[in-house]
Amino acid sequence: MYWLLQLSLALSYVMQLTTGRVERPVYRTPGSSVFFPGVDEDQKDQVQVFQWEVSNGNMENGSKMGVLQFHAGTPKPSLMNKYIGRLYFDRANGSFVLHHLAPEDTGLYILLINLQDNPVQTVQLWIMDELSKPSILSNSSSLYSTVQLTCDVFGNPHEYQWQKDGGEISQHHQLINGNRSLIIPSATKGDCGTYTCIATNPIGSTQADYTLIIYGLPSKQIVIVVASIAGLMLSSVSLIGLLLLCCLKRESSQASLRHDKLLFLSLFSSNTLSLVAIFIALASWIAIKGAASVPVVALCLVIIMLAFAVTATIAVWNLGCRCLKGLLGNTGFRASLDGSGFICSFIVIAISIAILVEEIQQSNQGCYITILTWSILTPILIVCIPIFSIFFVIWCWRNEDRNSDNRNQEQAVGERLELNGIRQQEMNDVRPDQEPEPEPDPESSQPS
């Protein structure tokens, strides 16, 4: 719009040069002042009469009205009533300054000398309001919706321009309504940013910024959220079940596993599935957002814990396997296997909460892809470490009691064996001349 106006003015200026009459476009705001030039220096001595007229159209078709007339030798010019008190005339060259401009002062001002018809000066005056600061309105900020940004400006803007983050807008953005509105079809996270509306007219320009935030998660990140929620739920079930078994004094020994095989199998299977779910979440995170150090380390830790969880699940499922009996007989491996369920649950819960917090923050903040900060892990570890410490103390206490019971049982068995040995020795020490009394015959003792 604005460049078309400038082009038309330039063409008009060229045509006026060919005809010998040049219109000078002048733009002013209401209440300001404007200067109308007079004749050149070499013409001043030849002028006897200065006459200014104003036309509300062009010089051929517009209706003309007198502004002032001045004859050489008179003390002051004759003015129209509406110009009295705000027009200051220069008798030397016929120029004047008009103050306190109003919209009705718009028009084509023409200077004639010596009552001739050929104009010496022509000035096109435009009175325009100053542009207000734009206000940008948005109809939506949801992911995959059609977003329309509308720039509202009070005044008389001739042109609208849009920028994104200080540069040009992208090709899929559309401009309508004389570039006043910007359309973003199927908005994505890439459309987030600062949009600038620039409104211009011959008086000046004004601009305003609008930060567009697209809320929501892309479809490819839904996998991360679903897998994290699944891992959190499964690990919570496993942790609560193992804690209840620990509190109920149900030791995770081989004998207990035979009696409660299905219960333990379900808990360890739930733990294994939670690790698989969090593995999927971390792998998807790395594939979508890049291989940052924190999620890569977390993924390696999950893989290690997954090996322990699978081993524990197999141990519960196949108790009769000789190789597993040998492994379960190892105290260090047994302790690692017993604690792996709790450790895996803690790790999965911590990672799941961290991922969900990051995804929720990204959805609410909108635009900027963040890396896994793990800031949420600090309070989680503060809670989890005492719980695990309590479990470890209980586990050690249970093992000590169990070992004490085993020692007591062994001592009791030894005492019984020792007592039986003494009795046997006493029986062996009976004299050989003393024959043992014959046992009564049950048949002879029956009455005839």
Side-chain angles (χ1 to χ4, degrees):
M1 292 290 295
Y2 181 66
W3 67 271
L4 288 176
L5 177 62
Q6 296 292 335
L7 180 60
S8 62
L9 292 175
L11 292 175
S12 176
Y13 182 77
V14 172
M15 293 178 63
Q16 292 162 15
L17 285 176
T18 58
T19 58
R21 294 173 297 188
V22 179
E23 294 181 8
R24 300 179 181 180
V26 178
Y27 302 91
R28 293 291 185 271
T29 58
S32 62
S33 303
V34 62
F35 171 76
F36 294 93
V39 298
D40 298 334
E41 290 292 332
D42 56 352
Q43 294 179 311
K44 289 193 301 182
D45 298 335
Q46 304 174 7
V47 179
Q48 298 296 321
V49 179
F50 292 102
Q51 183 178 357
W52 278 94
E53 297 177 348
V54 60
S55 173
N56 57 4
N58 54 39
M59 289 185 296
E60 289 77 12
N61 300 325
S63 59
K64 298 179 181 180
M65 181 181 64
V67 176
L68 66 85
Q69 191 173 31
F70 176 76
H71 293 269
T74 58
K76 60 181 180 179
S78 58
L79 304 175
M80 294 291 295
N81 291 332
K82 72 173 187 176
Y83 298 109
I84 296 176
R86 60 192 188 100
L87 189 150
Y88 297 89
F89 180 71
D90 186 354
R91 293 179 296 178
N93 58 9
S95 63
F96 70 95
V97 178
L98 184 61
H99 297 285
H100 308 295
L101 295 175
E104 55 269 19
D105 293 326
T106 300
L108 180 63
Y109 288 78
I110 305 169
L111 172 60
L112 302 174
I113 59 175
N114 298 331
L115 302 178
Q116 298 177 358
D117 294 333
N118 294 327
V120 178
Q121 296 286 355
T122 56
V123 178
Q124 177 65 55
L125 176 63
W126 301 93
I127 306 299
M128 294 183 177
D129 293 329
E130 290 185 355
L131 297 177
S132 65
K133 186 175 181 62
S135 60
I136 302 177
L137 304 177
S138 174
N139 67 326
S140 176
S141 59
S142 301
L143 190 66
Y144 303 127
S145 64
T146 299
V147 179
Q148 177 175 339
L149 302 179
T150 303
C151 185
D152 287 336
V153 181
F154 292 101
N156 187 18
H158 289 181
E159 183 185 23
Y160 292 94
Q161 293 180 346
W162 287 91
Q163 295 179 349
K164 180 179 182 294
D165 297 329
E168 296 182 356
I169 58 177
S170 60
Q171 295 181 353
H172 79 280
H173 293 161
Q174 303 173 5
L175 297 176
I176 62 172
N177 193 18
N179 296 348
R180 180 169 170 261
S181 298
L182 174 68
I183 302 296
I184 307 175
S186 187
T188 62
K189 294 292 184 179
D191 294 312
C192 292
T194 301
Y195 288 82
T196 303
C197 172
I198 304 174
T200 60
N201 67 4
I203 297 297
S205 64
T206 182
Q207 66 182 42
D209 296 333
Y210 180 84
T211 301
L212 178 62
I213 299 176
I214 304 299
Y215 295 99
L217 291 175
S219 56
K220 57 184 179 181
Q221 295 188 23
I222 299 298
V223 178
I224 301 176
V225 176
V226 173
S228 300
I229 293 175
L232 180 62
M233 295 178 62
L234 291 171
S235 59
S236 300
V237 171
S238 176
L239 178 62
I240 294 173
L242 292 174
L243 288 175
L244 288 176
L245 289 177
C246 182
C247 293
L248 294 176
K249 299 181 181 181
R250 307 188 71 168
E251 301 168 356
S252 57
S253 62
Q254 187 174 355
S256 299
L257 289 174
R258 289 195 183 98
H259 295 91
D260 302 314
K261 179 178 180 179
L262 292 178
L263 179 59
F264 276 90
L265 182 62
S266 61
L267 292 178
F268 279 97
S269 299
S270 176
N271 201 10
T272 303
L273 292 176
S274 68
L275 286 167
V276 173
I278 206 63
F279 173 83
I280 295 174
L282 286 173
S284 301
W285 182 289
I286 293 173
I288 294 173
K289 302 182 180 182
S293 58
V294 175
V296 169
V297 172
L299 184 63
C300 295
L301 182 61
V302 167
I303 293 174
I304 296 173
M305 300 310 300
L306 184 60
F308 275 94
V310 171
T311 304
T313 305
I314 295 175
V316 175
W317 175 259
N318 194 358
L319 288 172
C321 182
R322 293 183 178 179
C323 61
L324 288 176
K325 286 183 179 180
L327 291 174
L328 294 175
N330 188 297
T331 304
F333 183 80
R334 180 72 261 177
S336 301
L337 201 60
D338 289 342
S340 64
F342 292 91
I343 297 174
C344 291
S345 299
F346 289 147
I347 291 176
V348 172
I349 290 174
I351 296 177
S352 300
I353 294 177
I355 292 177
L356 291 175
V357 168
E358 291 292 336
E359 289 294 324
I360 292 173
Q361 288 180 350
Q362 180 178 333
S363 176
N364 293 336
Q365 295 176 356
C367 302
Y368 306 102
I369 296 178
T370 58
I371 63 173
L372 204 58
T373 61
W374 293 75
S375 58
I376 192 66
L377 287 184
T378 302
I380 294 176
L381 291 177
I382 292 176
V383 175
C384 290
I385 290 177
I387 296 176
F388 181 75
S389 301
I390 294 173
F391 159 75
F392 183 75
V393 171
I394 294 175
W395 185 86
C396 295
W397 179 62
R398 292 281 187 268
N399 285 341
E400 184 178 355
D401 289 347
R402 184 171 57 190
N403 294 333
S404 178
D405 292 339
N406 291 336
R407 287 194 298 268
N408 293 334
Q409 291 177 1
E410 292 177 358
Q411 185 178 0
V413 171
E415 291 176 355
R416 285 197 297 269
L417 291 176
E418 184 179 357
L419 181 60
N420 291 335
I422 294 173
R423 290 178 180 177
Q424 185 66 32
Q425 184 66 31
E426 290 177 352
M427 292 178 64
N428 294 334
D429 291 342
V430 177
R431 291 191 300 270
D433 57 346
Q434 294 180 354
E435 296 182 359
E437 297 180 359
E439 295 181 0
D441 187 2
E443 294 182 357
S444 62
S445 62
Q446 294 181 358
S448 57

